[in-house]
Amino acid sequence: MFAQDVMDQLIRTGPQDPCGRLMRRYWQPVALSEEVDNKAPLPLTILGEDYVVFRNADGVPGLMARLCAHRGADLSYGVCEPEGLRCLYHGWKYDVTGQCVEQPPEPEGRGFADRIRLHAPPVVERAGLLFAYLGEGEPPEFPDYEFLRYGEENTFVTKVFHECNHLQANEGNLDQSHLGFLHVFYPEETHSHQELEKSAPGGSKNAVELINEDKAPEMEVEYTDYGFTEFTTRKAPEGRYLKIQSFLLPNVAVFPGAVQGIGGHQVHWHVPVDDENHWKFVLVFRRDEAVDKARLAKALVGVDELLPGYRMKRTRANHHLQNRPQMASALPTNGLGLGFEIHDAVICESGGAIQDRLQENLGYSDRSVIALRRSMLDAIKRIDAGEPAPGTVHRPEDNGFPEINVIAQVIAEGEDPRRIAAEVADRRRVEEAARG
């Protein structure tokens, strides 16, 4: 059990809170690219602070404080124009850097507009996502994670709003023991997950079969500068079913998910709206072939599960529409529909907006939960000591993360998972060097 004052360091994300300071030292996704156009600005709340995101006529995105510097009107009611965003109240206009460029009611030649600039964090667009650096000072290099390099055909992205604290959802990403219990489907739904229905690389059974036949995997964690890597193995007819996946500070999980083998992987990125709500950004990529977006959408978020604005129909108020009659049948189902992401959101919300950690009892199967908390607490201590945020890079030549590997395959009994991870990392370093 972790003491309440310790958990508060990881839960609270305001500007002066320990986790809030940590989150602001990293680039964070704030919106899907598809949400933001040059027709209407989009209001956002991230880490308890209000912003507006928009595009100018050239498609360049901008993110800035939501209230106009003149009389405090909400700029999400404004008008996107070629040079920026115009306030609906008195016509003040701001470019994508937050600089005021026009003040129609003011006399010309006074230079008043030149002295007005709204807070506008830097923005980078990658892999169908808009990222912002919300901290103070010079940002680190935008991380050259492999999963952010691929084009539209190779990448699927979406998001789901969660009515709960970021931590209780993030803790579930690498929690291996829940897979064989929470994610069970009615028979006609079992073939919707394109990759998981195939045999695991090196074996004769698929991942779902292997997980259901061994619900108590062996696991180890290895702490790294960027967070930690988790190694889990399950019994398989040919030896052991190995999964290697990682937590990336401060709020990202990379794991096989919808892509087995080493051909790509899945990413969950949990970004607080405030202490009781957050966005889960979901990304799946494949290196050498296009992803089937329609099938991924069905497998991950189900059919007709999300309302406009990426919010779930299932809420605590309607007991997440759990189908108890369906569960009473002899067939295995959780009564929560098809989507993996919906299952996760429901179960994380079920503990309340902020789960009472004083009531929990952690065991061997919770090693990744413990590792996540410890790695975050260590990162907070390091930035408070004046060190760079762990896992960030500050020189272009240092950017790239070949050591972050995600693997799912059947290996021979007794084979060393770390040797496999090291071999893959060495190949990746060679590829990185060739890529320049």
Side-chain angles (χ1 to χ4, degrees):
M1 185 175 72
F2 286 70
Q4 187 61 54
D5 61 335
V6 174
M7 292 307 304
D8 282 343
Q9 293 185 57
L10 305 179
I11 290 169
R12 307 296 176 185
T13 57
Q16 304 307 316
D17 294 318
C19 188
R21 297 196 306 273
L22 182 68
M23 292 275 188
R24 288 168 173 80
R25 299 286 291 274
Y26 297 80
W27 289 88
Q28 299 288 351
V30 296
L32 302 176
S33 294
E34 66 184 30
E35 294 181 274
V36 185
D37 56 30
N38 58 9
K39 297 179 178 61
L42 178 70
L44 297 173
T45 300
I46 301 293
L47 294 170
E49 299 182 288
D50 295 330
Y51 297 95
V52 61
V53 61
F54 66 101
R55 293 184 191 270
N56 65 18
D58 295 324
V60 178
L63 177 75
M64 59 190 177
R66 192 184 303 175
L67 301 184
C68 180
H70 180 210
R71 297 277 301 282
D74 188 331
L75 290 169
S76 69
Y77 291 89
V79 180
C80 296
E81 295 189 357
E83 294 83 17
L85 180 61
R86 188 180 297 278
C87 180
L88 198 64
Y89 197 7
H90 298 96
W92 284 26
K93 183 160 69 173
Y94 303 86
D95 67 17
V96 295
T97 71
Q99 177 63 51
C100 186
V101 293
E102 282 188 24
Q103 298 169 328
E106 294 295 315
E108 294 184 5
R110 296 179 59 221
F112 186 25
D114 297 340
R115 301 195 296 273
I116 304 297
R117 181 187 289 270
L118 288 174
H119 174 57
V123 175
V124 170
E125 189 164 16
R126 290 284 191 281
L129 295 166
L130 293 177
F131 294 83
Y133 182 74
L134 304 176
E136 298 178 357
E138 189 70 21
E141 292 290 316
F142 185 80
D144 188 22
Y145 294 136
E146 187 195 13
F147 56 80
L148 297 178
R149 296 177 190 163
Y150 292 82
E152 184 177 347
E153 287 191 356
N154 296 71
T155 307
F156 168 83
V157 291
T158 190
K159 67 179 186 178
V160 180
F161 188 80
H162 286 46
E163 295 182 349
C164 66
N165 182 260
H166 71 98
L167 187 67
Q168 60 209 60
N170 206 353
E171 289 173 340
N173 289 317
L174 304 185
D175 169 8
Q176 295 301 299
S177 60
H178 85 281
L179 296 177
F181 295 93
L182 175 62
H183 299 299
V184 291
F185 301 105
Y186 216 60
E188 64 264 25
E189 299 171 338
T190 57
H191 296 298
S192 295
H193 212 291
Q194 186 176 17
E195 294 296 330
L196 293 182
E197 71 192 42
K198 299 178 181 177
S199 295
S204 57
K205 294 189 174 184
N206 65 43
V208 172
E209 292 173 312
L210 294 169
I211 289 169
N212 285 334
E213 291 173 7
D214 186 355
K215 296 185 178 183
E218 295 180 7
M219 58 184 65
E220 296 181 51
V221 295
E222 184 175 276
Y223 290 93
T224 65
D225 185 57
Y226 54 77
F228 69 87
T229 295
E230 178 188 63
F231 302 83
T232 63
T233 58
R234 286 180 165 87
K235 300 171 186 175
E238 298 79 12
R240 306 288 293 177
Y241 173 50
L242 166 68
K243 290 174 68 178
I244 301 176
Q245 46 203 6
S246 293
F247 168 69
L248 314 182
L249 286 161
N251 53 339
V252 188
V254 293
F255 57 98
V259 182
Q260 295 290 292
I262 58 173
H265 56 259
Q266 188 165 331
V267 180
H268 286 172
W269 205 315
H270 298 264
V271 182
V273 171
D274 51 37
D275 291 346
E276 297 188 353
N277 302 276
H278 77 277
W279 287 108
K280 178 184 188 177
F281 289 88
V282 179
L283 181 149
V284 179
F285 85 98
R286 293 192 65 90
R287 295 185 177 95
D288 302 320
E289 61 183 276
V291 295
D292 186 335
K293 295 188 180 186
R295 197 163 187 179
L296 279 172
K298 183 179 180 182
L300 297 179
V301 296
V303 177
D304 297 327
E305 290 283 356
L306 296 182
L307 299 167
Y310 304 90
R311 293 173 182 252
M312 294 194 301
K313 293 179 179 179
R314 302 174 188 270
T315 67
R316 282 193 296 271
N318 59 32
H319 204 71
H320 293 99
L321 300 174
Q322 189 176 34
N323 189 334
R324 301 300 298 195
Q326 186 187 61
M327 294 177 67
S329 73
L331 302 170
T333 177
N334 58 25
L336 298 172
L338 171 63
F340 276 66
E341 309 303 339
I342 304 301
H343 299 173
D344 287 336
V346 167
I347 210 67
C348 292
E349 289 185 358
S350 72
I354 299 179
Q355 179 186 337
D356 183 0
R357 298 318 203 289
L358 297 183
Q359 305 304 315
E360 69 183 5
N361 295 276
L362 302 180
Y364 171 86
S365 63
D366 301 303
R367 298 181 79 176
S368 62
V369 173
I370 295 168
L372 184 149
R373 296 179 189 179
R374 286 178 174 170
S375 62
M376 290 182 69
L377 290 167
D378 178 68
I380 289 169
K381 289 180 181 178
R382 291 171 66 175
I383 66 168
D384 285 349
E387 299 179 29
T392 60
V393 294
H394 298 266
R395 301 188 308 169
E397 59 267 30
D398 296 332
N399 212 349
F401 300 85
E403 69 277 15
I404 298 174
N405 288 302
V406 178
I407 299 170
Q409 66 186 62
V410 175
I411 62 175
E413 192 71 52
E415 194 167 3
D416 184 4
R418 286 177 171 76
R419 181 188 62 78
I420 294 172
E423 288 179 353
V424 173
D426 287 344
R427 289 200 301 270
R428 290 277 309 284
R429 289 187 181 93
V430 172
E431 293 169 0
E432 293 284 305
R435 193 173 72 92

